[in-house]
Amino acid sequence: MDLTHIHTHLKRLFSSGGHDHAGNRIVWWQDREGEFAEELDKLDLENCHDDGVALIRLGEDSTLALKVRILLEEPKARFLIYERGALPDPAHDMLLDIRKWAAPFAADKSTLILRELGLIDELSLKSHIADRARFFASRERMDKLVRFIAPGDGAYQIDLKIMAVLARAPQPQLSQILRILLAELDTQDLTADSKTLAEFQRFGVEQAFWDFVAQEFRYADEGPCLRNLLLRLFATDFARHVTGKVPVSLTHLVLPNGGGSNAIVFMDGWRDSSSHQRSYDALSAIIAEDLRIKSQLSGFALADLEMVHSFLDVEKRLASLLVREVLDASETVNAARITDIARSRQNAYWANAEKPSTEDAPRAALHSVYDAIIHAGAFLALKGEVGVHVRSNTASETWKLYTDRLYRFDQLYRLFGEAADVAEAQNWDVLKDLRSHIEDVYGNWYLAELGNLWTSQAEAELLPAWHLPNIINQYDFFAREVQPVLDADPGRRVVVIISDAFRYEAAQELFAAMRGTDRYQATMDSMLGVLPSYTALGMASLLPHRQLAYAPDGSVQVDGKSSSGLEARKKLLEAVGGIAIKASDLMEMKKEDGKAFFKPYRVIYVYHNQIDQTADTGNEEKTFVAVRTTIDEIAALVRRAFTFNCNRAIVTADHGFLFQSAPPGDGHKNAIKTRPEGAVIAKKRYLIGTDLGSNDGAISGDIAATAKASTDMGFWVPKGINRFHFVGGSRFVHGGAMPQEICIPLLRVNYARGEGKGREQTRVTKVGLAALFHSTRITTSRHRFTITQTEAASDRVQPVTARIALYDGDQQISNAEVIAFDSTAKDMNLWKKEVWLTLANQSFDPHKKYQLIVRDTEDQLDLFPPHPVTISLAFENDF
């Protein structure tokens, strides 16, 4: 037996604590069970005091002789009196006077344990400790428990902390212990207890655990088990959040008042626990099946389920109802409401992309489903705003209409398709009908309407001069955009990023991101692209030149030199102090290497090729992915260029493209029965040659006009979105005259270094928030709070996602809600969000100040100072 603790305590009693502060002269050790009778001789009593300590075993000498020795013969000596058995009757105790003034000592195992736990004053706990002797037999368990114990802990706290040790919980909280037990359940047999619950039984705290559960959740069962508790927790969580009548088959499982509110807080905390989400996902699927949740949902409307997060089946049902609402409303859809619902689901549990996807919780797919719904709603709402027909009086007006507004159809169609592709790749067909409708509106209404209008205006007004008022022609790019910058400041350096097939709508998305980037100042314009809109001609027109021309083989020459390939372009840029480089090579450069590379040059042309390289080489189905990759890579290229001592970048393209997910039908084919003899190049969307004549299904013109080239080459491009032939891929095409192909992005980005006015103008902040209270007093267990933005979201004021909960110091005392504040509306009433919080079922001091805390989910910073509230519940129930 380890006597270290006994020796330490005895030494402390003999060395201090007496009336003269010199220590106790006599210590009386009462050992009722005689546990230490055989261990006494092992005690090093000589070291318990400088003068030594004598051991007296009561009963070995006469009582009178012992009294004489202690009081008369050795009045200054120190004695440890050891008495085995029960206390004698005081009326017959001849040593009662000595017993009364001697320092009492007990060293039974329970007392030693209490002493080690720092609870020596709680001797009433000895029997409680003795009942759990098996737990305390392990030094390792004991050491872990000591870290949890606090002065004043009673039987309740000790049992809870024993459970925490057995469960390996980070804190002695029932919620954490229960989550660990549930995570251990066998998903094939929920009736089999977890290994930790078996440990509770082994060490005598299983009944205490169920007592805790009964007290916390009002869970009563003759034979309590984790599966039955789970059924009630999930049923209660569903019932407390759904609007409308709770299914009869669930009502008897709903936990009673008091327990219900704690169940809500527990379930919310379970979903919020990153280490236990997988167990929640798996168990919720099993419980949903046991409760037949899927069949219970048919009677609920969209509004009934908006606050429910209990089951994946609910999420699927809600997404399906949201799709149906968009389809039923079509052009009259309330896109803002659809977005608000979808975003709230994405910030919640099942569709949150920040949480891991599992077989039981396909979060990435669900997140994409909601993205697709948001974009579809915006797409159809835009159609409702435009009306039955796309109208404008002149080509110039149509161009402005496209660059201001209509490009959004192409952008939203792409964003919808991108999201839908992700969902469908994981076998989700909830978007099937919506995709069919969007495809029909995009192809048969938008592209058809725009194609008819633009074709007639382009033929009548743009040809043969190929000019739009106040719009730069692509072939004037260097002279109008780059040269003036170089002339204005001899020390200025410009990076020109040219991305093949980077069309205007994608550049607009990048532009929005750039404007929301700290230190960036961006502007966006358009250029009228060359026609036909294909790579060789578009790339050549962007280079510095006096004259473009065609070689006999159909290649494009710049000032009499080849413009094909990187090396040829390097030579052409030498005349203006420039260089050409591939985007991939630039991205691989380290910072110092990049600075050294940039230093000799004033203009650096960076060539990027992702969209055309992917979609025009047999991978049309990856068009949307290629555009997403391009946006991300160009943003990275701009950042990289700015680290290489450059603060001016221009992003543009050689041409755009047309793309539809659905293959074109025969109605989009302009068959050319006989290829013209003078044709040099023949593609799906353009034909180039000499003496071509005319074709009823084509726009014809001279490249000398459309590209300002010295050539007799002419062209044919199909009207509208038609193709000359369908050989090879036919969904991704370019070369024609549609705005999607010839509206060339001109994105200018400046970088503000250091501080000062330029820096201040480019600073990016987050939306401010404030609480709106009629009263700061909470009188019911479920309380509504109103949080408002203090400003509209914009390019420089980014949206914020907040986690909202009530706290008592560091302890959360309610469920938490995650809300996105992203309103761009001018109407301040649209900035407000209502949040319902449910208090845990516990006692609250009506005179104490609690806090409403609203915290940024991204950086965990409070979005405004903790707001004080008082809690004064009139009576204790859930709501």
Side-chain angles (χ1 to χ4, degrees):
M1 183 177 293
D2 184 4
L3 301 179
T4 303
H5 291 290
I6 294 176
H7 181 272
T8 300
H9 192 59
L10 286 173
K11 186 175 183 179
R12 185 164 55 247
L13 288 172
F14 282 114
S15 299
S16 62
H19 295 297
D20 58 357
H21 302 290
N24 296 285
R25 191 169 81 85
I26 300 175
V27 174
W28 196 297
W29 183 349
Q30 189 75 33
D31 184 4
R32 292 175 180 272
E33 305 297 328
E35 295 179 69
F36 295 90
E38 298 178 4
E39 307 289 336
L40 287 177
D41 293 334
K42 298 178 182 178
L43 286 171
D44 185 9
L45 295 179
E46 291 298 320
N47 289 322
C48 283
H49 193 272
D50 293 341
D51 298 328
V53 175
L55 172 65
I56 295 177
R57 292 177 183 264
L58 209 61
E60 292 183 351
D61 297 311
S62 70
T63 304
L64 179 61
L66 180 61
K67 198 164 188 178
V68 169
R69 178 185 175 186
I70 293 172
L71 298 177
L72 300 176
E73 294 177 353
E74 301 179 50
K76 294 184 179 180
R78 297 177 188 273
F79 297 95
L80 171 63
I81 300 176
Y82 175 80
E83 182 179 25
R84 181 175 178 177
L87 289 170
D89 183 352
H92 302 91
D93 186 2
M94 292 184 64
L95 299 176
L96 182 62
D97 55 339
I98 296 176
R99 188 190 300 273
K100 287 291 186 181
W101 55 262
F105 177 72
D108 58 89
K109 291 181 180 178
S110 296
T111 302
L112 286 176
I113 290 169
L114 285 170
R115 181 174 291 118
E116 188 172 350
L117 294 176
L119 301 175
I120 190 58
D121 294 332
E122 308 293 337
L123 292 180
S124 60
L125 295 170
K126 286 176 62 175
S127 62
H128 190 81
I129 296 297
D131 290 341
R132 285 142 182 80
R134 192 171 186 178
F135 172 86
F136 293 105
S138 165
R139 182 74 254 164
E140 181 183 2
R141 290 193 295 269
M142 186 71 174
D143 289 342
K144 291 178 179 178
L145 182 64
V146 167
R147 292 198 292 267
F148 285 146
I149 293 295
D153 277 354
Y156 176 96
Q157 289 86 359
I158 290 173
D159 279 353
L160 185 64
K161 291 171 182 181
I162 287 175
M163 293 177 206
V165 170
L166 295 175
R168 294 179 174 83
Q171 295 295 330
Q173 297 173 358
L174 179 62
S175 60
Q176 294 189 13
I177 295 167
L178 180 55
R179 284 199 293 265
I180 291 170
L181 266 63
L182 295 176
E184 294 173 351
L185 285 176
D186 182 355
T187 54
Q188 302 302 314
D189 181 12
L190 295 186
T191 60
D193 283 340
S194 72
K195 63 179 183 180
T196 299
L197 192 60
E199 289 285 277
F200 288 179
Q201 183 181 28
R202 178 184 172 204
F203 291 107
V205 292
E206 182 186 21
Q207 185 55 52
F209 168 74
W210 288 116
D211 290 343
F212 286 136
V213 170
Q215 180 180 351
E216 183 79 1
F217 301 116
R218 305 294 191 268
Y219 168 63
D221 199 310
E222 291 183 1
C225 68
L226 291 174
R227 177 182 180 273
N228 289 349
L229 175 62
L230 269 178
L231 289 169
R232 286 157 176 78
L233 287 172
F234 274 100
T236 303
D237 190 52
F238 176 84
R240 296 297 188 183
H241 288 102
V242 75
T243 302
K245 190 175 181 180
V246 178
V248 175
S249 61
L250 299 183
T251 53
H252 69 289
L253 295 172
V254 176
L255 292 166
N257 290 348
S261 59
N262 284 348
I264 289 174
V265 175
F266 172 77
M267 296 297 279
D268 182 75
W270 190 4
R271 286 188 290 266
D272 200 38
S273 170
S274 59
S275 57
H276 291 102
Q277 283 167 7
R278 286 184 180 273
S279 66
Y280 184 94
D281 297 345
L283 293 173
S284 67
I286 298 168
I287 298 299
E289 188 173 338
D290 291 346
L291 296 177
R292 299 189 296 279
I293 289 297
K294 190 173 183 179
S295 63
Q296 311 271 17
L297 296 175
S298 59
F300 290 104
L302 176 62
D304 297 331
L305 301 174
E306 286 185 35
M307 300 303 295
V308 182
H309 305 290
S310 311
F311 305 104
L312 179 61
D313 284 333
V314 172
E315 203 69 42
K316 291 179 178 179
R317 172 66 176 170
L318 195 146
S320 180
L321 290 170
L322 205 57
V323 167
R324 180 49 50 192
E325 181 164 318
V326 173
L327 281 169
D328 289 346
S330 194
E331 289 90 71
T332 61
V333 64
N334 185 339
R337 178 176 177 274
I338 295 297
T339 297
D340 193 45
I341 295 173
R343 289 283 185 240
S344 71
R345 302 310 292 191
Q346 288 177 322
N347 288 321
Y349 187 69
W350 295 104
N352 192 325
E354 299 299 317
K355 301 180 186 296
S357 286
T358 65
E359 185 177 347
D360 297 304
R363 292 188 173 85
L366 265 170
H367 192 89
S368 294
V369 165
Y370 285 119
D371 272 343
I373 293 171
I374 290 169
H375 300 317
F379 181 96
L380 294 173
L382 182 60
K383 180 181 185 296
E385 295 170 9
V386 170
V388 177
H389 298 291
V390 177
R391 294 185 177 92
S392 67
N393 297 319
T394 65
S396 181
E397 289 178 0
T398 303
W399 187 272
K400 188 176 189 315
L401 183 63
Y402 180 79
T403 55
D404 287 351
R405 193 176 189 188
L406 296 184
Y407 78 88
R408 282 283 288 163
F409 283 113
D410 299 310
Q411 190 180 76
L412 290 167
Y413 175 76
R414 171 176 59 81
L415 293 172
F416 170 83
E418 181 182 359
D421 285 348
V422 172
E424 290 172 5
Q426 299 188 43
N427 300 315
W428 283 65
D429 61 359
V430 66
L431 299 170
K432 182 179 178 181
D433 291 342
L434 185 57
R435 184 159 207 163
S436 178
H437 184 57
I438 295 296
E439 198 69 43
D440 176 62
V441 174
Y442 184 71
N444 297 326
W445 175 76
Y446 168 66
L447 289 180
E449 285 281 324
L450 181 60
N452 289 337
L453 177 65
W454 179 250
T455 296
S456 63
Q457 292 176 338
E459 281 190 301
E461 301 177 45
L462 266 66
L463 293 173
W466 201 246
H467 171 74
L468 283 170
N470 302 315
I471 302 297
I472 297 173
N473 280 82
Q474 187 180 23
Y475 53 69
D476 282 335
F477 166 74
F478 189 89
R480 297 282 298 274
E481 284 296 317
V482 182
Q483 193 64 55
V485 177
L486 302 178
D487 292 343
D489 183 356
R492 180 66 62 88
R493 183 180 290 115
V494 180
V495 171
V496 177
I497 300 170
I498 303 171
S499 183
D500 204 325
F502 189 50
R503 70 178 178 179
Y504 183 82
E505 59 86 6
Q508 275 284 357
E509 183 178 340
L510 176 60
F511 169 53
M514 292 289 185
R515 291 182 67 183
T517 301
D518 196 25
R519 295 181 180 268
Y520 284 15
Q521 189 175 48
T523 60
M524 178 78 175
D525 281 314
S526 63
M527 295 189 292
L528 177 61
V530 295
L531 194 63
S533 52
Y534 74 107
T535 298
L537 188 57
M539 289 294 186
S541 69
L542 293 169
L543 288 163
H545 65 274
R546 293 182 299 277
Q547 188 68 60
L548 299 181
Y550 274 83
D553 62 357
S555 63
V556 182
Q557 295 183 326
V558 172
D559 296 335
K561 299 176 183 178
S562 172
S563 62
S564 300
L566 188 68
E567 293 305 317
R569 293 166 190 169
K570 284 182 180 179
K571 293 179 181 178
L572 291 167
L573 287 164
E574 286 178 359
V576 293
I579 188 67
I581 185 173
K582 290 182 180 179
S584 56
D585 292 339
L586 182 68
M587 288 304 296
E588 289 177 0
M589 288 184 180
K590 296 180 179 179
K591 185 175 182 180
E592 293 306 317
D593 294 337
K595 288 182 177 180
F597 175 78
F598 272 33
K599 190 174 181 180
Y601 305 108
R602 298 203 62 202
V603 57
I604 298 95
Y605 270 49
V606 181
Y607 287 95
H608 178 270
N609 189 5
Q610 180 64 240
I611 299 171
D612 212 39
Q613 179 177 273
T614 299
D616 209 18
T617 55
N619 293 296
E620 293 179 300
E621 72 282 356
K622 296 180 180 179
T623 296
F624 294 147
V625 174
V627 174
R628 173 62 49 219
T629 302
T630 295
I631 292 171
D632 293 342
E633 289 183 352
I634 293 178
L637 282 168
V638 172
R639 289 195 299 271
R640 181 57 61 90
F642 287 163
T643 65
F644 295 165
N645 287 342
C646 178
N647 59 5
R648 172 87 171 188
I650 301 175
V651 179
T652 189
D654 52 348
H655 57 77
F657 64 87
L658 289 170
F659 177 80
Q660 287 179 262
S661 295
D666 289 340
H668 292 140
K669 185 175 181 179
N670 283 354
I672 301 177
K673 296 178 181 179
T674 304
R675 174 171 169 161
E677 291 184 4
V680 176
I681 303 173
K683 301 292 183 179
K684 287 184 284 290
R685 282 285 287 172
Y686 64 96
L687 188 149
I688 296 174
T690 57
D691 301 321
L692 297 178
S694 61
N695 184 291
D696 291 341
I699 299 173
S700 59
D702 297 321
I703 295 178
T706 59
K708 202 174 182 180
S710 177
T711 180
D712 58 355
M713 289 283 193
F715 63 83
W716 287 353
V717 296
K719 294 182 178 180
I721 63 170
N722 293 339
R723 282 81 160 156
F724 284 140
H725 60 80
F726 291 168
V727 177
S730 56
R731 291 185 292 162
F732 176 91
V733 292
H734 61 84
M738 284 291 286
Q740 292 89 341
E741 299 167 286
I742 64 169
C743 184
I744 307 300
L746 182 56
L747 174 58
R748 312 175 190 89
V749 188
N750 288 335
Y751 182 70
R753 299 185 185 277
E755 299 298 329
K757 184 177 180 181
R759 171 73 176 88
E760 190 63 34
Q761 290 174 344
T762 61
R763 192 180 301 277
V764 175
T765 60
K766 288 186 178 181
V767 163
L769 300 182
L772 299 179
F773 287 129
H774 297 297
S775 170
T776 58
R777 183 167 171 260
I778 298 173
T779 58
T780 57
S781 296
R782 190 165 185 255
H783 190 81
R784 181 181 65 184
F785 297 90
T786 302
I787 310 295
T788 184
Q789 296 174 208
T790 57
E791 56 197 326
S794 65
D795 294 326
R796 296 287 173 191
V797 181
Q798 296 182 341
V800 68
T801 301
R803 184 181 186 274
I804 304 165
L806 289 165
Y807 284 82
D808 178 4
D810 294 332
Q811 183 69 36
Q812 186 174 319
I813 57 174
S814 75
N815 68 311
E817 291 290 342
V818 177
I819 305 291
F821 293 87
D822 55 4
S823 176
T824 59
K826 294 181 180 179
D827 184 353
M828 295 174 61
N829 291 315
L830 300 178
W831 297 353
K832 302 175 186 177
K833 296 286 180 72
E834 292 186 344
V835 182
W836 286 92
L837 296 180
T838 300
L839 288 168
N841 183 40
Q842 64 184 63
S843 297
F844 295 102
D845 183 347
H847 304 293
K848 184 177 181 178
K849 293 293 183 182
Y850 301 91
Q851 296 87 34
L852 174 73
I853 294 181
V854 180
R855 189 162 288 161
D856 190 334
T857 59
E858 184 178 45
D859 55 24
Q860 302 304 309
L861 294 176
D862 291 349
L863 293 167
F864 53 77
H867 206 291
V869 297
T870 57
I871 302 175
S872 179
L873 303 182
F875 50 87
E876 290 191 6
N877 69 356
D878 281 331
F879 299 100

